Amino acid sequence: MHGFKLLDRFKSTQVHALSPQDSNPCSRGKLSKCKFTNTGSVAQALLPCGLPTTELLEPSIDSYLKPIDYVESLAEIYRRLNTFSQTDKSLLCIEQFSILRGLGDPKLLRRCLCSARQYAIDVHSKVVLSAWLRFERREDEFIGVSSKDCSGYILECPMAALVSGYDPNSIYDHCQCGQDNLEAVDNQILMGNEGSSLEEDSDVSFCIGDELVHCVRFKIASLSSPFKAMLYGSFVESRRDKIDFSKIGISVKGMRAVQVYSRTGRVDLFCPEIVLELLSFANRFCCEELKCACDAYLASLVCGTEDALILIDHGLEERANLLVASCLQVFLRELPNSLYNHKVMSVFCNSEARERLAMLGHASFLLYYFLSQVAMEENMASSAAVMLLEGLEEFATEKWQKALALHQLGCVMLERKEYKGAQFYFEAAVEAGHVYSLAGVARTKYKQGQQYSAFRLMNSLIFKHKPVGWMYQERSLYGVGQEKMMDMNTATELDPTLSFPYKFRAVMKVEEKQIRAAITEIDKIIGFKLSPDCLELRAWFFIALEDFESALRDIRALLTLEPKYMMFHGRVSGDHLVELLSHRVRLWSLADCWMHLYERWSSVDDIGSLAVLHQMLSNDPAKSLLWFRQSLLLLRLNCQKAAMRCLRLARNHTSSVHERLIYEGWLLFDSGHREEALSRAEKSISIQRSFEAFFLMAYTLADTNLDPESSSTVIQLLEDALRCPSDGLRKGQALNNLGSIYVDCGKLDQAADCYKNALNIKHTRAHQGLARVYHIKNQRKAAFDEMTKLIEKAHYSASAYEKRSEYCDREKAKDDLKMATLLDPLRTYPYRYRAAVLMDDQKETEALEELTKAIAFKPELQMLHLRAAFYESMGDKTSALQDCEAALCLDQNHTDTLNLYNRTQDQATRSI
């Protein structure tokens, strides 16, 4: 093995304890360090740190749980979900969330959080999970929306979260927040009526100083057992008409409020200060019903951070559970802003405050998990992240929780360059069972000058476990010469989604003065996995070539993903570099921008389209239509987080109600609220008929299995949309969608007309729909030719190659699918097709290997289902069941997998 040859080389290699990056002020973590290389004079002025070098590149350590075998972990989670009682599932869903974070599917993660909220019983868990779900939608970014505003569903409702109890079927129902309140009571009249009856039935008075508060003895006695004993027992007070309460600690107003409560059972008649007195009084005399009433009423008064900061101390002092929960709810629903309020942070990070929270059941692993994730997302190296993760570790009870907390502490310490502390936490995480943390141990050793030890550690890991891509990627950091490149290539072969090997090979080509080849290398991953760091690197290369137009395009596209991105190791803001490069390219007018947008959109150049939209928005940042267009592109590029941010900005910037309803509808649709999305679209149409409103309604209705009646409705809506004013870009999409519905209804001629009309206005993707029509008409040659046209026109064509494979013979299909995998290894159909062909040829082992190599880096539902079916046909029931369980962990309602799972279970049971 080449790993053993490499060990010998380290024995004569001097390793310095201090990495050169530690003393360099330019280093901020994007590409590790500044180092000049020779570039052209103009380019050098735009590259303040020169080009990166391979010796200083390194990948980040992922901050989430990363199982060695995802399939085994997913299957085990599913089995436990099936065996746990309903009331114990909530925290297990959070464990599922933690495991699935590595797959990077926001919808899958939201589904886990929804399930956790569904099975939550206690108020604390409901408060945390409702706030977490709200945060994931980033509703805090909406203009005119407060932290206590409700989305209309129990799932995220702040009031519903304060109700204890288990009702898993209700969370998707509408809450009561929007309904009319009960008629208000005239407090003055009520107080007057009570005052007029005091002299009639009062039979005991409480003296506070010089004043008397007249009460009804049996009503006061009914407040608690201590009062009953005092007023009717053997105490002297039972024989007195006047009882001295001067030293009890309650004011005259407070005692009068006690009297009113004893008659009415209400505390909402009083100001908060009096209710706080009542709360303290209730605790002193064990008046449980009074305490609950005060607790609930005060909880309802918490509307903002200032209220919460004032009231939470009272709640903790008086052990008022709902009040504390309501205060915490405000802090959590104000995230991430709460992180920057030192008073709020002291509630979570101060040891005494944390202990008081814990005594009331309001300090938990769940709470600190949510808080620490937000803090890490805001600033990985912040003190807040460290303190909150320490809280996470403190409240971790299960093994996986300890592993997660310790691993994330290691990641934060590594980011802070506190390498000894990072090593300590990573080693502790390994002891807790998280094997991936060994990569963190190796990295911290390397940072402390122990390169040989780091290499040996990763080498041992590879030999002990079934190797996966990240193992070879990590070992490559500590290798030298040809062995380093072999590890890089093996990492890409095992996991083509790892970006570091592409970046390393690209920078290595730059060092060899092959900048064009470097761009070709980095293009390989940008083509299927868009990320700011890869776009930044390519922009560096274009600047070195003095291709400033291409560099500007990449930086603009990058800024649509991360608007505050700092380039050149954190030294230069992306916006500033855009300004510098803008002086070296021809400026476009608004008409030019629309023309270029049309061209790039038509050629399926999504990155180019993003760049044009970014330029248009820099000139007119309040143009909601442009933010909306940007969100569509980002969704197409699988950048959902950035897409949702653009949608929120579109909603915030629009000045018309009907447009705002449309953008809110899309946001609701994305979070799974189809009915509410439809409602928004209908309201928008009732205000003003528009293309986007009809399109939203049609798209939402078409998102289910359409029956003939629903299909007719969708067709009518799309036709209505096409009658409304819009540009060719959107009308082309509507025609394309209309053609798809016609095909599903068997109306092929109408479908062909739609696709041809879309092509006439340069909606290039309509070639695919037209090819489908030809294929159904048994015109395979015409279908093949149509897809060939799309391949020739499209800037990124992996999906086109995949689709064309359906319209040609087996050998040509293999070639097309090979190309599709080369362009985008994340597309799963090619693996499934090749595996099915191999299975047909009775090459069972090769068929399993084809699926297994893809599942290793993308455990996807359809591939897991197909491999399970292969295992079943081969008689390997154990493996078939495990794959089914892993697939069902991703989607527990997948009918085909459920049927296969049940059938295999029956077969396994009968064979025993």
Side-chain angles (χ1 to χ4, degrees), residues 206-213 243-248 250-252:
F206 292 90
C207 305
I208 301 173
D210 296 331
E211 298 202 41
L212 293 177
V213 178
I243 301 172
D244 187 8
F245 258 31
S246 298
K247 297 180 180 180
I248 294 300
I250 189 167
S251 68
V252 174

Side-chain angles (χ1 to χ4, degrees), residues 207-228:
C207 305
I208 301 173
D210 296 331
E211 298 202 41
L212 293 177
V213 178
H214 304 288
C215 301
V216 179
R217 182 181 293 267
F218 86 87
K219 288 187 178 290
I220 298 297
S222 67
L223 293 178
S224 71
S225 296
F227 269 126
K228 185 177 181 180

Side-chain angles (χ1 to χ4, degrees), residues 252-270:
V252 174
K253 288 183 178 179
M255 195 62 210
R256 285 177 179 155
V258 172
Q259 180 272 135
V260 172
Y261 173 79
S262 72
R263 294 167 178 270
T264 65
R266 296 179 61 181
V267 296
D268 58 334
L269 311 174
F270 315 112

Side-chain angles (χ1 to χ4, degrees), residues 55 58 442-451 454 477-478:
E55 66 192 70
E58 63 180 49
R443 189 73 62 87
T444 54
K445 286 176 176 286
Y446 174 64
K447 292 292 187 180
Q448 296 173 81
Q450 303 170 35
Q451 184 174 355
L477 293 178
Y478 319 127

Side-chain angles (χ1 to χ4, degrees), residues 464-749:
K464 284 182 180 177
H465 297 275
K466 182 180 179 180
V468 288
W470 62 261
M471 296 179 184
Y472 284 93
Q473 173 180 273
E474 192 65 28
R475 190 175 73 172
S476 71
L477 293 178
Y478 319 127
V480 292
Q482 188 61 34
E483 285 84 358
K484 177 187 278 284
M485 287 310 302
M486 289 176 65
D487 274 354
M488 292 280 184
N489 294 336
T490 303
T492 299
E493 182 181 340
L494 292 173
D495 185 353
T497 68
L498 295 171
S499 61
F500 172 71
Y502 298 94
K503 292 160 64 176
F504 184 91
R505 289 188 290 263
V507 172
M508 188 178 71
K509 292 182 187 299
V510 169
E511 291 176 340
E512 297 168 354
K513 312 299 182 186
Q514 301 177 44
I515 298 180
R516 291 287 179 192
I519 292 171
T520 300
E521 179 66 28
I522 203 67
D523 278 347
K524 291 177 183 177
I525 190 162
I526 290 175
F528 68 89
K529 187 181 178 183
L530 197 60
S531 64
D533 57 330
C534 291
L535 283 172
E536 178 190 14
L537 195 60
R538 191 169 72 174
W540 286 41
F541 299 159
F542 281 127
I543 291 173
L545 287 175
E546 300 194 14
D547 183 353
F548 301 125
E549 192 169 301
S550 296
L552 184 58
R553 175 204 64 203
D554 280 354
I555 296 166
R556 286 190 181 280
L558 182 162
L559 291 173
T560 65
L561 301 177
E562 282 191 32
K564 297 179 181 178
Y565 194 86
M566 298 294 291
M567 300 189 63
F568 304 136
H569 319 296
R571 294 190 71 199
V572 181
S573 74
D575 287 329
H576 181 59
L577 192 55
V578 166
E579 184 181 347
L580 293 175
L581 287 170
S582 295
H583 296 303
R584 302 193 175 276
V585 299
R586 187 179 72 83
L587 296 177
W588 293 344
S589 65
L590 181 60
D592 290 333
C593 286
W594 276 109
M595 181 188 72
H596 285 289
L597 178 62
Y598 207 98
E599 288 175 355
R600 282 157 176 73
W601 200 292
S602 298
S603 62
V604 198
D605 177 6
D606 293 334
I607 292 176
S609 300
L610 279 178
V612 176
L613 282 168
H614 183 272
Q615 180 174 344
M616 296 168 80
L617 281 166
S618 63
N619 296 325
D620 188 2
K623 192 76 171 177
S624 58
L625 172 66
L626 298 178
W627 287 113
F628 177 58
R629 296 296 174 84
Q630 199 170 79
S631 74
L632 297 176
L633 283 167
L634 288 165
L635 278 174
R636 203 153 69 194
L637 289 164
N638 202 29
C639 302
Q640 190 179 36
K641 183 178 177 181
M644 293 304 103
R645 175 178 48 78
C646 291
L647 260 181
R648 289 190 292 272
L649 287 167
R651 183 260 184 203
N652 287 344
H653 284 300
T654 186
S655 57
S656 65
V657 175
H658 79 92
E659 279 189 10
R660 186 173 70 248
L661 288 166
I662 292 167
Y663 303 140
E664 288 177 355
W666 281 113
L667 287 163
L668 286 161
F669 173 81
D670 182 73
S671 59
H673 298 305
R674 288 182 65 257
E675 291 183 8
E676 199 64 27
L678 283 171
S679 175
R680 291 288 202 283
E682 289 171 349
K683 288 178 184 176
S684 179
I685 291 169
S686 69
I687 297 170
Q688 181 175 322
R689 294 168 64 88
S690 68
F691 174 91
E692 294 299 348
F694 281 116
F695 189 89
L696 168 61
M697 200 167 180
Y699 193 92
T700 306
L701 282 173
D703 189 52
T704 56
N705 294 323
L706 293 176
D707 54 39
E709 184 178 348
S710 299
S711 296
S712 299
T713 303
V714 172
I715 289 170
Q716 183 60 53
L717 287 167
L718 287 171
E719 289 176 345
D720 288 340
L722 289 165
R723 294 189 191 100
C724 298
S726 188
D727 57 70
L729 298 177
R730 293 298 284 152
K731 290 209 169 186
Q733 183 66 61
L735 285 165
N736 197 58
N737 289 13
L738 183 56
S740 178
I741 301 297
Y742 275 134
V743 169
D744 292 340
C745 295
K747 300 178 180 180
L748 300 182
D749 291 337

